[in-house]
Amino acid sequence: MKISELFYSIQGEGKRIGVPSFFIRTNNCNLRCMFSGGNLCDTPYTSWTPEDKHNIGEISIDDIINEYKNSGAEEVVITGGEPTLQYEELADLCSKLKDAGAYITLETNGTRDGRFLDYIDLISVSPKLKSSTPFDTKHEKMHLQNRINLAVLKAYHDISIKENKDIQWKFVYCNVKDIKEILMLQQKIGFTNKDIYLMPEGLTDIDISSKRIELAEVCKKYHFNYTDRLQIQIWGSKRGV
């Protein structure tokens, strides 16, 4: 698989926040997020400028499994980039992780689905709102066309209901304008407030701190869940955490 980095840390966001986890970060993404505050996505080395800083690059699935076992972690977070771009490989990876006894969280932007969901314990869907659009760049049109795939998002929701799978809908919050779009998606797809997590946008703890109180009040008003970005609070914005 095309891998950007493998590391052992704690989950910093969402329902499993604080849980020690082995992270598998795949390389490449089909979107190009640039949020309304001006920040690119928090892993531009997997999207805007895919590169192999840690000289991992392509690594066999068996080697990934061995790295997971050596970490001693029980939980695995598969993230990106966008993991579902490597459709066939992802299914094989998840199957072997499950054989090894892993609890698997898959983090996805929700633009693609697949049979790998049979092995997933927590589906973490993070649809990209309009505030993520890289306006006035060569990627603007592509991002707008691809950022929301309602059919796939509905499929994730339906699978979570029919197969009793845990799911979270995690949105990056830039400003109150995002709420209208979140409510629209909720109406069209049907996910419940208890599974909605809003996360303040920002690449530094200072950025995030400036939005904490505002977002906490928004979550109280709409009965959504607040999630911080614990990894940035603890280690700052860097790789391998």
Side-chain angles (χ1 to χ4, degrees), residues 34 128-135 143-144 147 178 181:
M34 184 171 73
K128 297 302 178 272
L129 304 175
K130 189 175 181 180
S131 57
S132 71
T133 305
F135 291 109
H143 185 91
L144 284 171
R147 67 182 180 86
D178 292 329
E181 188 173 1

Side-chain angles (χ1 to χ4, degrees), residues 13-215:
E13 305 166 359
K15 288 185 176 184
R16 310 293 292 178
I17 194 168
V19 177
S21 304
F22 181 73
F23 285 77
I24 301 170
R25 187 181 302 285
T26 63
N27 209 10
N28 295 310
C29 187
N30 58 337
L31 299 179
R32 294 293 183 273
C33 294
M34 184 171 73
F35 295 97
S36 55
N39 291 321
L40 302 183
C41 75
D42 59 355
T43 57
Y45 51 89
T46 68
S47 56
W48 284 81
T49 55
E51 46 89 17
D52 179 24
K53 182 176 180 180
H54 291 182
N55 295 319
I56 294 178
E58 292 195 11
I59 182 170
S60 73
I61 290 173
D62 287 342
D63 284 344
I64 296 173
I65 299 298
N66 288 334
E67 289 284 340
Y68 159 67
K69 291 179 178 178
N70 290 337
S71 75
E74 295 181 2
E75 303 211 5
V76 172
V77 179
I78 305 174
T79 186
E82 176 49 44
T84 62
L85 295 179
Q86 301 182 63
Y87 177 92
E88 294 295 336
E89 296 86 351
L90 182 60
D92 189 19
L93 173 65
C94 290
S95 173
K96 291 182 177 179
L97 284 169
K98 188 54 63 179
D99 287 343
Y103 178 101
I104 304 173
T105 296
L106 173 71
E107 297 185 342
T108 176
N109 59 28
T111 57
R112 296 163 60 95
D113 61 3
R115 60 188 176 88
F116 45 80
L117 289 176
D118 293 343
Y119 310 104
I120 303 302
D121 296 289
L122 172 60
I123 310 168
S124 181
V125 190
S126 184
K128 297 302 178 272
L129 304 175
K130 189 175 181 180
S131 57
S132 71
T133 305
F135 291 109
D136 301 320
T137 74
K138 65 180 181 180
H139 302 292
E140 176 182 346
K141 183 177 179 180
M142 176 277 288
H143 185 91
L144 284 171
Q145 288 177 337
N146 295 332
R147 67 182 180 86
I148 296 294
N149 187 327
L150 278 177
V152 170
L153 295 177
K154 288 179 180 178
Y156 280 128
H157 173 67
D158 291 345
I159 288 172
S160 73
I161 299 298
K162 293 176 183 177
E163 300 186 14
N164 195 30
K165 283 189 177 291
D166 201 4
I167 192 169
Q168 65 183 12
W169 297 82
K170 184 160 58 97
F171 296 92
V172 175
Y173 175 88
C174 291
N175 55 61
V176 72
K177 294 179 182 178
D178 292 329
I179 300 302
K180 181 177 181 180
E181 188 173 1
I182 292 170
L183 293 173
M184 179 273 292
L185 288 171
Q186 184 181 27
Q187 182 179 30
K188 290 185 177 181
I189 296 166
F191 48 82
T192 61
N193 284 9
K194 71 179 180 64
D195 293 323
I196 298 175
Y197 286 76
L198 303 190
M199 177 174 66
E201 190 274 328
L203 297 181
T204 68
D205 196 43
I206 293 175
D207 290 341
I208 293 170
S209 294
S210 69
K211 297 185 178 73
R212 281 193 178 110
I213 294 177
E214 175 186 338
L215 180 52

